[in-house]
Amino acid sequence: MKKLFVSVLSIMMGLSASAQNDKKEYTNFNDTVLSINEVQVMGKDMSRSKALKLDVPKRYLPISTATLPSEVLTNRDITDIQSAVQFIPGVRFQTSYGAFQQVSIRGFDKSIVMIDGVRDERSAIDNSYPFMDLSSIEKIELLKGPSSVLYGSSSVGGVLNIVRKAPIAKNNFNARIAYGSWYNKQATVGFGGKLTGPVNYRANINFQNTEGWRDNKINRLSGYFVLGGKITEKDEFDIRWSGNHDFYSTEIGLPNIMPEDIYNASTGSLYLKKNDELPGLDRKWRYNSESDFMYNRSQNISGQWKHTFSDKVKLMDKLSYSYDDIDYFGTESLDYLTSTDPIYPYYYESGNKRTYISLDSLYYSYPLRFSHIAKTLNNQLELNGKFNTGSIKHNYLAGWSIIYLDRTSYSGYNFGKKGDDVIGPGLTGHGTTHNPHSIGWMETKFSKATPQYTLMNGFYLHDLIEFSKQWKVLLAARYDFYNYKRASGINTINGGRKHEAVNGDEYSKIKNHAFTFRVGGVYLPMEEWSIYASVGSYFKPIRTFYNDNTIYVDRNGHPYTPTKGEEVFKPEKGMQAELGTSYELTNKLKVDFSIFYINKYNMTRTLANKGEVINGETLDKNVIGQVGRMDSKGFDIELTYNPIPGMTFMTGYAYTDAQVREMEDNIWMSSDATKGKQYPRIPKNTFFVLGDYTVQKGFLRGFGVNFDVDFQDKVYRNSANTTYFDSFWLTNLGFSYKFKNGIRAGLNIKNLFNEKYCNQSLGNQFVPSAPRNYMASLSYSF
């Protein structure tokens, strides 16, 4: 297969040389116009970013960004976010439970994700969530570094913005059907054009059904509809609706890696080392319960109005409402049978304790039932424009953002006692390790609810000052007010997703505020080349409430007693310093490079647990302190090159050194075992290179080939850096043919060299990633 890959690359290069050496005159006027229009659109995307808000070229701003056009994903039959972000250096999505995805940017997890410039508030909460399919997107934008000054709390590593397609007046239609490995069936239909008068529309429907390579089934159905247009000379509107109804099989992976060195009980010889995987496991074996499920149902509607007073003053208001329903049951922990008696053939030792273990039998030890229902209202009111003070030009943005989140979480965790939330033979059944099969069904209900409400107000003012053609300075500031309240342990009604009424005094409350900023300068030695430097800040509220069984420590290491029912810890905060450069030569070449340092402090850490002996005294409470610190430093580089019409190369590399730093001094912890450790879930090195080429002339005209090679470094899974995912290289290859009537046939081979690797896990249960697979597609567009 490697020889095949090298041969294809050689053919690709040969076709490029042939196209360059072809001196015959090309006279097809219509095709020439289409090619020019494509180039113009790409140039526009590269020079401006919707995530940056200010209506100026990106090279005027001291901010590092990246843009991934949808064409890169379309050529590779990619419709999921985790596969897409491999082409954005410094970004990683991790998946848990088979459906919940969490993004990390520049070494920091739980970064903000936006849809069309509107925050998805699920990404600001300390858990992951299912993500939309990418069937209707125009591009993905990454705004790197702390972005609280633009988008509020929690955006330390950066902000990922998914830009969906807008309506245009020209009638258009696209359809795609695809079939791939493990009965992966996909279908998409999109159409749009002029509806009436100045009003344009676009609609998109997407469907997917797959058995999954580990029998982890997925059924997805989504819809998207948008109306927009310029209804007067000065007024524009845009109304969007989207919805999805998705089902995922949950994923618990393979049985645990070894907790300690494993010895043969009869001989005392070493059998397996700590963190070894049990021999003889088939990567396709599935151990989930037949009762597991995960549903995600959501809808979103947004409206945007823009009024142009003049070419120097514009007013915009965007209102969005989202409803999201996550409904989950998973038998998460998969454990071996153990005993303190010598009844099993193997044993391990921890401290002075010997535990005997059976590696042939398994049971479900932790069924988990929960549901989140979230309703979010988001409004942004912004005034932007330009004015001069003498010869100095100002580009300003003034805005007010308000976000209201109503989120109720239902739980059903109790089992093995009276009033069980989970019942059924699956709770007590045992399965065999090497012959996985059903060990019994389970039924569930909810017993408790946690209603919570968040209200955020942010006021911001930005000014890009143009002192000359060469010198630009950005001054940006924002002030946010954060209010949060939560009631815990509220009884549900009849075990369903309804709960008893909550009195006002049952809520615990947090109120805080924060100032954030970004200051930077840009120097342009020439129009195509910019050099910039900036400093920016971020904040994130900590939603912890007082507990009588806890000792609290402030950021200086001093104990204090918070007020019950009110804020315990001040917000997390952080700063970034960045230096970068960008070069763009028409539509041929674009290079971006940036080097950064980000620190984060006010992080909460568990310092000691009840029962530990500290300074000669046995603790009768747990100790939690706001003494944690971490930082991330590194650099990233991206290059896009279009040597000839129809050919594109992109490459990117990111080095990210995210480490846990020394805690603030405190008497409860004399040493910190995690100091200097790599932050978990963050690869230190990531790299990709991709190429796309479609023959423009000759008898092979319309034939296309694409490839990409991706590398992810070793990823530590825990703060002690004792377990990790190995590094891996992935190679993907694709072919296509564009017919003259708008039909395109494609074939993509993923994981070409059948790399065996893991990129996700549930606890110590590693989830193998898919082997070599394929996707064949047929599409039509005009």
Side-chain angles (χ1 to χ4, degrees):
M1 292 302 292
K2 292 185 179 180
K3 290 183 179 180
L4 171 63
F5 179 61
V6 172
S7 300
V8 171
L9 288 182
S10 301
I11 293 171
M12 189 173 177
M13 295 300 101
L15 292 172
S16 170
S18 174
Q20 288 175 313
N21 294 328
D22 192 347
K23 302 298 183 181
K24 295 180 181 180
E25 185 178 0
Y26 186 56
T27 59
N28 189 320
F29 179 76
N30 290 330
D31 288 348
T32 304
V33 171
L34 288 173
S35 176
I36 291 175
N37 285 343
E38 256 183 51
V39 171
Q40 287 175 339
V41 171
M42 286 185 67
K44 182 177 180 181
D45 282 348
M46 292 168 69
S47 64
R48 294 179 185 267
S49 170
K50 294 183 179 180
L52 294 174
K53 292 182 177 284
L54 284 168
D55 188 20
V56 297
K58 287 196 295 185
R59 64 182 180 274
Y60 286 13
L61 293 166
I63 300 173
S64 180
T65 63
T67 300
L68 179 65
S70 61
E71 291 82 5
V72 172
L73 308 181
T74 300
N75 290 346
R76 290 160 178 77
D77 283 322
I78 291 175
T79 58
D80 67 282
I81 189 67
Q82 184 158 331
S83 298
V85 299
Q86 65 187 321
F87 306 125
I88 306 179
V91 180
R92 179 179 183 261
F93 261 87
Q94 62 173 5
T95 301
S96 303
Y97 317 112
F100 291 80
Q101 296 175 310
Q102 186 174 354
V103 63
S104 64
I105 303 173
R106 283 192 166 177
F108 296 91
D109 51 16
K110 306 178 181 68
S111 298
I112 292 296
V113 177
M114 302 189 301
I115 310 297
D116 297 329
V118 177
R119 286 168 53 114
D120 187 332
E121 281 308 306
R122 297 177 303 173
S123 61
I125 299 172
D126 290 341
N127 65 351
S128 49
Y129 58 95
F131 202 82
M132 62 179 283
D133 67 72
L134 304 181
S135 62
S136 58
I137 72 161
E138 174 187 327
K139 59 183 176 179
I140 300 176
E141 298 178 330
L142 173 64
L143 180 57
K144 302 175 185 178
S147 304
S148 288
V149 73
L150 274 170
Y151 295 108
S153 70
S154 303
S155 52
V156 56
V159 170
L160 201 67
N161 184 35
I162 312 301
V163 181
R164 295 179 294 185
K165 293 179 179 178
I168 58 175
K170 181 181 177 181
N171 289 334
N172 59 92
F173 176 85
N174 65 277
R176 170 183 172 270
I177 56 173
Y179 183 84
S181 301
W182 312 299
Y183 306 103
N184 190 350
K185 300 177 285 292
Q186 300 179 12
T188 304
V189 176
F191 51 92
K194 184 181 290 293
L195 183 63
T196 180
V199 179
N200 305 319
Y201 78 99
R202 179 169 183 82
N204 193 87
I205 300 173
N206 184 68
F207 166 80
Q208 178 186 6
N209 174 272
T210 179
E211 294 295 319
W213 92 276
R214 285 172 41 79
D215 292 326
N216 48 332
K217 297 181 181 179
I218 298 176
N219 294 312
R220 305 189 74 176
L221 178 64
S222 66
Y224 170 62
F225 182 75
V226 55
L227 293 173
K230 195 169 183 178
I231 53 178
T232 72
E233 186 177 344
K234 295 187 176 182
D235 293 280
E236 302 174 52
F237 82 99
D238 183 290
I239 298 175
R240 304 187 178 203
W241 172 89
S242 63
N244 68 274
H245 190 295
D246 299 337
F247 167 82
Y248 305 84
S249 296
T250 63
E251 176 62 86
I252 61 176
L254 299 176
N256 285 330
I257 57 177
M258 298 302 107
E260 301 288 345
D261 289 346
I262 303 295
Y263 296 89
N264 188 304
S266 59
T267 65
S269 60
L270 179 67
Y271 175 59
L272 293 170
K273 293 182 179 180
K274 182 177 180 179
N275 295 331
D276 278 354
E277 184 180 89
L278 185 67
L281 297 178
D282 189 324
R283 291 165 57 85
K284 290 184 64 175
W285 283 346
R286 182 170 173 80
Y287 296 84
N288 286 71
S289 164
E290 63 194 70
S291 303
D292 294 352
F293 63 85
M294 158 63 192
Y295 288 97
N296 179 223
R297 309 171 183 91
S298 67
Q299 292 193 61
N300 170 268
I301 185 168
S302 66
Q304 177 178 294
W305 167 76
K306 182 186 294 184
H307 180 76
T308 302
F309 293 96
S310 69
D311 60 350
K312 295 184 177 181
V313 183
K314 298 178 181 178
L315 181 67
M316 185 276 292
D317 188 77
K318 179 182 286 187
L319 177 65
S320 172
Y321 173 78
S322 297
Y323 174 88
D324 185 70
D325 180 353
I326 293 174
D327 194 10
Y328 173 90
F329 175 64
T331 48
E332 295 192 352
S333 293
L334 190 65
D335 289 340
Y336 299 110
L337 301 180
T338 60
S339 175
T340 55
D341 298 323
I343 60 175
Y344 298 127
Y346 302 99
Y347 71 87
Y348 64 88
E349 295 178 339
S350 180
N352 296 321
K353 180 181 178 182
R354 175 174 291 188
T355 301
Y356 291 87
I357 184 171
S358 169
L359 299 178
D360 297 321
S361 300
L362 298 164
Y363 70 100
Y364 302 137
S365 61
Y366 194 66
L368 186 61
R369 180 76 169 108
F370 65 80
S371 176
H372 305 301
I373 298 177
K375 305 167 188 175
T376 308
L377 187 66
N378 185 313
N379 192 77
Q380 301 173 47
L381 178 64
E382 296 179 344
L383 181 70
N384 68 77
K386 310 175 188 296
F387 69 90
N388 286 18
T389 54
S391 61
I392 299 174
K393 184 177 180 180
H394 298 262
N395 305 270
Y396 68 88
L397 170 72
W400 170 48
S401 169
I402 182 169
I403 302 171
Y404 177 75
L405 172 64
D406 172 354
R407 184 174 188 260
T408 300
S409 298
Y410 295 90
S411 61
Y413 297 169
N414 300 315
F415 51 91
K417 57 186 177 182
K418 186 177 181 180
D420 285 344
D421 295 330
V422 184
I423 60 173
L427 279 174
T428 56
H430 292 171
T432 58
T433 307
H434 291 89
N435 182 27
H437 61 275
S438 170
I439 59 176
W441 53 266
M442 283 174 274
E443 292 184 357
T444 68
K445 67 176 182 179
F446 297 108
S447 58
K448 299 295 180 182
T450 303
Q452 49 196 311
Y453 302 90
T454 305
L455 177 63
M456 292 176 284
N457 279 276
F459 300 89
Y460 45 98
L461 181 63
H462 298 198
D463 187 10
L464 177 70
I465 307 169
E466 299 185 52
F467 289 98
S468 66
K469 288 184 178 180
Q470 287 76 38
W471 290 99
K472 323 287 181 184
V473 171
L474 175 68
L475 303 176
R478 178 176 178 128
Y479 210 92
D480 282 279
F481 298 87
Y482 181 86
N483 294 271
Y484 173 73
K485 65 178 183 179
R486 181 181 71 200
S488 301
I490 308 302
N491 293 326
T492 60
I493 298 175
N494 298 325
R497 294 194 296 175
K498 291 185 178 181
H499 61 82
E500 297 176 349
V502 185
N503 298 321
D505 57 2
E506 293 183 79
Y507 285 100
S508 297
K509 301 176 182 179
I510 290 175
K511 289 186 179 182
N512 57 43
H513 48 85
F515 172 78
T516 53
F517 70 92
R518 185 187 287 267
V519 177
V522 179
Y523 173 62
L524 291 91
M526 58 184 71
E527 185 178 358
E528 300 85 4
W529 181 23
S530 67
I531 303 169
Y532 62 88
S534 68
V535 177
S537 63
Y538 119 100
F539 85 102
K540 177 184 178 181
I542 299 176
R543 298 178 303 173
T544 298
F545 293 106
Y546 179 75
N547 185 305
D548 291 334
N549 294 316
T550 303
I551 298 172
Y552 295 97
V553 178
D554 66 21
R555 62 166 301 189
N556 296 314
H558 303 142
Y560 68 101
T561 303
T563 302
K564 189 172 184 179
E566 296 185 10
E567 180 182 74
V568 172
F569 295 115
K570 298 298 180 184
E572 269 185 10
K573 293 188 177 181
M575 296 275 292
Q576 173 187 267
E578 181 179 30
L579 179 67
T581 184
S582 179
Y583 179 79
E584 183 175 357
L585 178 62
T586 60
N587 299 298
K588 287 285 188 182
L589 176 67
K590 186 175 188 298
V591 182
D592 289 287
F593 172 81
S594 60
I595 184 169
F596 65 90
Y597 173 80
I598 309 175
N599 71 356
K600 184 166 75 167
Y601 57 95
N602 283 4
M603 299 171 64
T604 58
R605 293 282 301 274
T606 298
L607 304 179
N609 294 306
K610 183 178 179 179
E612 290 187 38
V613 179
I614 303 295
N615 296 326
E617 295 185 10
T618 302
L619 290 176
D620 60 354
K621 296 182 178 182
N622 299 318
V623 183
I624 299 177
Q626 192 167 23
V627 295
R629 299 186 300 174
M630 71 164 287
D631 62 21
S632 177
K633 55 183 179 291
F635 64 90
D636 45 60
I637 184 169
E638 298 169 79
L639 183 148
T640 301
Y641 180 47
N642 303 293
I644 60 174
M647 179 175 285
T648 297
F649 289 101
M650 293 175 61
T651 186
Y653 170 76
Y655 173 79
T656 307
D657 183 12
Q659 292 190 16
V660 178
R661 293 305 180 193
E662 184 177 13
M663 292 187 297
E664 302 289 351
D665 291 337
N666 64 89
I667 64 172
W668 286 272
M669 184 173 287
S670 58
S671 63
D672 182 9
T674 63
K675 175 188 173 184
K677 300 291 187 181
Q678 291 294 311
Y679 200 68
R681 301 179 293 277
I682 309 299
K684 185 172 283 189
N685 296 278
T686 56
F687 166 81
F688 81 88
V689 59
L690 66 82
D692 295 81
Y693 180 59
T694 301
V695 181
Q696 304 292 297
K697 304 177 184 179
F699 73 97
L700 286 178
R701 179 185 171 197
F703 173 76
V705 59
N706 70 78
F707 77 93
D708 57 86
V709 179
D710 312 283
F711 171 75
Q712 179 178 287
D713 207 350
K714 177 170 63 177
V715 175
Y716 289 107
R717 297 180 44 257
N718 58 1
S719 57
N721 291 180
T722 56
T723 61
Y724 55 86
F725 300 127
D726 287 322
S727 62
F728 60 86
W729 289 86
L730 283 182
T731 302
N732 305 311
L733 181 65
F735 304 93
S736 64
Y737 189 81
K738 292 182 179 179
F739 298 88
K740 292 182 179 180
N741 56 4
I743 295 176
R744 177 185 182 274
L747 174 66
N748 282 284
I749 306 168
K750 302 180 181 181
N751 194 1
L752 181 65
F753 300 127
N754 205 28
E755 178 83 6
K756 294 181 179 180
Y757 68 102
C758 289
N759 200 25
Q760 58 177 298
S761 65
L762 185 60
N764 287 322
Q765 299 158 194
F766 282 36
V767 181
S769 292
R772 183 189 303 118
N773 61 95
Y774 73 91
M775 174 71 74
S777 62
L778 189 66
S779 60
Y780 171 71
S781 63
F782 70 79

